[in-house]
Amino acid sequence: MKRIVVKVGSHVLSEQNRLAKDRIDNLVEFLADLHKIYEVILVSSGAVAAGYSKLKIDKSKLPNRQAIASVGQPYLMSVYQKKFNLYEILSAQVLLTADDFDSRKRTHHAKCAVNTLLKHKVIPIINENDTTATEELVFGDNDQLSSRVAYYFDADMLVVLSDIDGYYDSDPRVDPKAKLYSKVASIKAEDLQIKCNPNHTFATGGITTKLKAADFLLKRGRQMYMTSGFDLSDAKNFLLGSVQSGGTHFVKERG
Ligand code: ADP
């Protein structure tokens, strides 16, 4: 059975400073379909958005963000599990930090735990451990965390569900003539230097961190597919029907 990592961004999971329950319902329904044919690992943002709906303190300060994430993480997990119950699927919380991928031993331990969950048909829901991550050793965005998860936990593909339906030749929110790249075989070094440009109060990545994730995987012979998390039809066609109706497929050309 193929293994995939699905990463969903905070913009998809939240609206007006709280969780977007309808989109989470659609996401879980989609994950339940994927679960029939793939081993599925979910990397989910959204802890800060979930926490902020309960604890409204200044989220620009790091200790406050960590406190908000601590409130939000179990709440987010309870929302997921309630939905997964409809499909009789068990989910599990796995919190990781950048240094879990720094030592072979720690990575191995984390991988064994995830393998055991997958063997028993449980969907691991991974997030960065915001409360203990130190500023020097932090991914700070789940795009890069999910690329490590995909590579070190032996996934065939990373699927990034974003607030945009793929990677364009310029920011489509600024340039109405921007063109979608449907296949990308390598990332230019200068495109990895673009300053972060997330467009949402809870977003941390922007397109640059997604390109860094794609670059990390392409250099190691793995694939990434990026598409919309608002409208899941392209993701469904690609992963359930093997048809690319949209989105960007980052894959090395075979030759
Ligand atoms: P998420 O919350 O899904 O991680 P982000 O808001 O962090 O998403 O990043 C996606 C945003 O990056 C898009 O909404 C878009 O405005 C911006 N962006 C900038 N340049 C590009 C580009 N070349 N192609 C696609 N999106 C881009």
Side-chain angles (χ1 to χ4, degrees):
M1 201 181 235
K2 284 198 165 174
R3 183 174 291 188
I4 55 171
V5 174
V6 178
K7 182 262 168 180
V8 60
S10 47
H11 198 177
V12 173
L13 296 169
S14 64
E15 61 189 346
Q16 288 157 0
N17 285 333
R18 63 179 120 82
L19 290 180
K21 296 260 176 68
D22 286 353
R23 291 205 286 270
I24 294 181
D25 286 357
N26 292 339
L27 172 71
V28 170
E29 185 188 13
F30 175 48
L31 294 170
D33 281 339
L34 291 177
H35 185 250
K36 293 175 193 152
I37 52 171
Y38 295 100
E39 289 180 331
V40 181
I41 299 172
L42 176 65
V43 175
S44 176
S45 306
V48 176
Y52 193 69
S53 65
K54 309 265 171 207
L55 181 66
K56 285 199 175 43
I57 53 177
D58 179 3
K59 56 185 156 57
S60 65
K61 297 191 181 114
L62 180 67
N64 285 3
R65 276 183 80 83
Q66 291 176 316
I68 295 169
S70 310
V71 170
Q73 182 63 29
Y75 173 49
L76 178 65
M77 286 302 301
S78 72
V79 170
Y80 273 125
Q81 189 52 58
K82 226 192 237 159
K83 296 300 163 201
F84 275 123
N85 283 342
L86 301 175
Y87 307 95
E88 295 177 8
I89 293 173
L90 199 58
S91 64
Q93 170 180 271
V94 180
L95 297 178
L96 298 173
T97 51
D99 53 351
D100 287 317
F101 296 101
D102 241 24
S103 110
R104 230 178 244 206
K105 202 163 137 198
R106 290 180 71 143
T107 310
H108 177 73
H109 284 309
K111 183 177 165 184
C112 287
V114 166
N115 280 345
T116 307
L117 290 168
L118 293 172
K119 193 171 100 191
H120 293 285
K121 295 283 199 186
V122 178
I123 296 190
I125 303 180
I126 297 180
N127 193 8
E128 182 152 30
N129 191 342
D130 287 321
T131 318
T132 61
T134 56
E135 270 185 281
E136 315 80 69
L137 259 181
V138 73
F139 282 116
D141 66 85
N142 274 343
D143 297 317
Q144 291 186 86
L145 171 70
S146 59
S147 69
R148 271 41 172 203
V149 167
Y151 177 66
Y152 290 110
F153 298 171
D154 288 336
D156 299 281
M157 187 180 298
L158 169 62
V159 178
V160 175
L161 298 178
S162 180
D163 63 345
I164 194 90
D165 61 346
Y167 172 41
Y168 286 76
D169 60 358
S170 62
D171 186 348
R173 292 190 203 282
V174 182
D175 176 4
K177 292 203 184 100
K179 278 200 198 68
L180 178 81
Y181 293 112
S182 54
K183 277 220 166 34
V184 172
S186 64
I187 313 288
K188 288 188 221 99
E190 69 248 36
D191 291 342
L192 298 172
Q193 306 304 325
I194 306 169
K195 249 177 112 329
C196 281
N197 48 4
N199 66 12
H200 183 246
T201 49
F202 296 113
T204 47
I207 196 67
T208 315
T209 54
K210 288 164 190 60
L211 295 181
K212 285 183 179 165
D215 184 61
F216 178 85
L217 291 170
L218 284 171
K219 284 182 172 150
R220 289 161 180 80
R222 304 292 168 93
Q223 303 180 28
M224 182 172 126
Y225 177 65
M226 176 183 166
T227 190
S228 170
F230 289 100
D231 174 354
L232 295 170
S233 45
D234 286 339
K236 285 180 187 167
N237 289 338
F238 192 73
L239 292 164
L240 300 169
S242 301
V243 173
Q244 188 178 352
S245 54
T248 304
H249 188 191
F250 297 88
V251 61
K252 268 232 148 69
E253 283 151 21
R254 289 186 188 100

